[in-house]
């Protein structure tokens, strides 16, 4: 396993484990997944993974409970990250919700406590006042944000008066917006971009095409899995397979390696099995050549999916089976 080269109390692995699916039925993993989740966490620890990300919103607290129980006595050795969903995120509420998350996780301190998304009404000044108080009493180690643009990330840091270590954003080969400003800022200032959905919910795995679409509710609602977009993405998947063959790996591993080439980027893919966790961890060890990276970047730029409002009628028709 490789780690981010930053001054943090605990090392942060380049591959982490995202746990949105823990306790969340919408992923459709079945009734036995909670037991498998424990096995996945334990195997991640064996592989050197030190970053485990959850949120109070995931399964309405169940993800935090499952993760905390699975980590057991190893909770103190790893970076446990959670998020507050910003409904009325004023200072006293932030403090109360952190206490509740810590209790569900079974920890005395949350290593990284993040604002799940910016609140359009409540300014970061009051939210970060609560975060600062949590840091002062030791209940929170580092503060992070999620889904923030660069301006608001910097504003949050000004409000905190200390570093806001990380910004957790959607980042993958088909969602490359963070490359424009967030990643350069992180590399310049010694911060971290945490990539969620780094495989575009499996779109980059090569498992799906226009005739073999996913069945889970989360993926079916993702416009990338429209038949038209799966057809448009065939060239990108072909490029991923070509590079994967050169490294005796899989398209998913290469898609992760593409992100991890940036020194201040970590990825937090989910895992539906121990085997998938193992494959994800291996991606941290893959070194892409300059030519391979350039070929992947070109293929990614050439992929132009149907998204936004234009995708809505297509999603409706797809759900109706038309």
């Amino acid at each position: 396993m490789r780690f981010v080269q930053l001054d943090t109390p605990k090392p942060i692995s380049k591959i982490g484990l995202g746990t949105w699916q823990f306790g969340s039925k919408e992923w459709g993993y079945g009734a036995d997944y909670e037991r498998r989740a424990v096995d996945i966490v334990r195997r991640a620890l064996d592989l050197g993974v030190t970053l485990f990300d959850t949120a109070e919103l995931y399964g309405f607290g169940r993800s935090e409970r499952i993760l905390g129980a699975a980590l057991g006595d190893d909770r103190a050795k790893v970076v446990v990250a959670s998020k507050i969903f910003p409904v009325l995120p004023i200072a006293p509420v932030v403090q109360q919700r952190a206490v509740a998350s810590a209790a569900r996780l079974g920890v005395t301190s949350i290593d990284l406590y993040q604002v799940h998304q910016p609140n359009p009404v409540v300014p970061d000044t009051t939210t970060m006042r609560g975060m600062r108080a949590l840091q002062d009493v030791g209940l929170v180690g580092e503060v992070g944000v999620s889904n923030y643009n660069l301006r608001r990330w910097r504003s949050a840091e000004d409000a905190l008066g200390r570093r806001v270590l990380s910004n957790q954003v959607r980042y993958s080969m088909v969602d490359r917006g963070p490359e424009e400003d967030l990643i350069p800022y992180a590399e310049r200032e010694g911060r971290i971009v945490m990539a969620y959905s780094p495989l575009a919910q499996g779109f980059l795995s090569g498992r799906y095409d226009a005739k073999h679409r996913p069945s889970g509710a989360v993926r079916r609602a993702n416009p990338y899995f429209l038949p038209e977009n799966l057809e448009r993405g065939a060239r990108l998947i072909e490029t991923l397979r070509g590079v994967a063959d050169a490294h005796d790996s899989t398209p998913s591993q290469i898609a992760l390696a593409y992100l991890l080439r940036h020194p201040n980027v970590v990825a937090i893919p989910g895992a539906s099995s121990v085997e998938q966790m193992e494959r994800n961890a291996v991606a941290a060890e893959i070194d892409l050549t300059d030519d391979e990276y350039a070929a992947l970047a070109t293929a990614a730029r050439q992929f132009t999916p149907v998204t936004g409002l234009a995708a809505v009628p297509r999603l409706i028709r797809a759900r109706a089976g038309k």
Side-chain angles (χ1 to χ4, degrees):
M1 181 54 63
R2 292 176 177 174
F3 301 88
V4 179
Q5 300 302 305
L6 287 181
D7 178 23
T8 54
K10 301 175 186 178
I12 298 176
S13 55
K14 290 282 282 179
I15 287 286
L17 177 62
T19 64
W20 177 13
Q21 67 274 28
F22 286 14
S24 301
K25 295 180 180 179
E26 60 265 29
W27 281 93
Y29 286 158
D32 67 334
Y33 182 70
E34 189 166 322
R35 176 187 56 77
R36 280 188 286 144
V38 175
D39 295 336
I40 291 167
V41 169
R42 300 311 304 175
R43 184 56 178 147
L45 290 166
D46 292 340
L47 295 167
V49 172
T50 63
L51 176 61
F52 295 83
D53 180 77
T54 183
E56 64 177 9
L57 187 66
Y58 299 165
F60 300 103
R62 290 188 66 200
S63 174
E64 290 177 320
R65 292 190 184 94
I66 294 169
L67 175 60
L71 288 170
D73 292 339
D74 291 304
R75 286 179 293 232
K77 303 175 185 177
V78 299
V79 177
V80 178
S82 193
K83 296 183 283 293
I84 175 175
F85 193 71
V87 175
L88 194 63
I90 59 175
V93 173
V94 171
Q95 295 170 53
Q96 292 166 7
R97 303 262 284 282
V99 169
S101 281
R104 288 190 291 268
L105 286 162
V107 299
T108 57
S109 178
I110 302 172
D111 298 293
L112 175 62
Y113 197 42
Q114 307 153 93
V115 184
H116 207 143
Q117 61 188 47
N119 187 295
V121 177
V122 179
D124 289 311
T125 49
T126 181
T127 302
M128 291 301 157
R129 187 163 62 249
M131 289 289 196
R132 188 165 58 249
L134 290 167
Q135 285 185 307
D136 288 344
V137 299
L139 189 61
V140 163
E142 299 281 356
V143 172
V145 293
S146 182
N147 299 304
Y148 274 46
N149 60 31
L150 179 56
R151 180 195 61 77
R152 189 143 183 183
W153 185 4
R154 297 178 72 168
S155 175
E157 191 157 78
D158 289 342
L160 183 65
R162 301 163 185 172
R163 72 177 180 184
V164 173
L165 178 65
S166 61
N167 191 356
Q168 184 177 145
V169 293
R170 185 185 299 274
Y171 177 41
S172 72
M173 289 185 68
V174 295
D175 293 292
R176 300 183 312 283
E179 294 176 359
E180 297 177 8
D181 55 1
L182 296 181
I183 292 174
Y185 174 76
E187 293 179 356
R188 186 171 65 250
E189 301 296 331
R191 305 292 185 263
I192 296 172
V193 169
M194 294 175 62
Y196 73 79
S197 197
L199 299 175
Q201 296 185 349
F203 178 86
L204 295 167
S205 69
R207 293 173 53 198
Y208 306 109
D209 58 38
K211 295 181 180 179
H212 301 89
R213 299 178 62 223
S215 58
V218 174
R219 291 187 176 94
R220 295 287 285 191
N222 186 332
Y224 285 139
F225 293 102
L226 288 169
E228 182 176 353
N229 285 337
L230 287 165
E231 290 176 358
R232 292 187 182 194
R235 190 171 182 177
L236 172 56
I237 300 301
E238 182 181 350
T239 304
L240 280 166
R241 287 198 175 109
V243 176
D245 288 344
H247 290 268
D248 192 24
S249 60
T250 67
S252 293
Q253 289 171 323
I254 297 302
L256 289 172
Y258 172 93
L259 307 185
L260 300 182
R261 203 169 191 261
H262 299 286
N264 289 58
V265 170
V266 301
I268 49 170
S272 60
S273 65
V274 167
E275 292 74 20
Q276 187 176 15
M277 182 67 251
E278 293 171 341
R279 291 193 295 270
N280 290 344
V282 169
E285 305 298 329
I286 296 174
D287 291 314
L288 300 175
T289 67
D290 290 343
D291 288 345
E292 288 170 339
Y293 183 83
L296 291 167
T298 298
R301 284 194 300 269
Q302 292 173 344
F303 173 55
T304 55
V306 179
T307 58
L309 291 176
V312 173
R314 291 174 170 86
L315 285 169
I316 294 172
R317 289 197 298 271
R319 290 184 69 86
K322 297 180 180 180

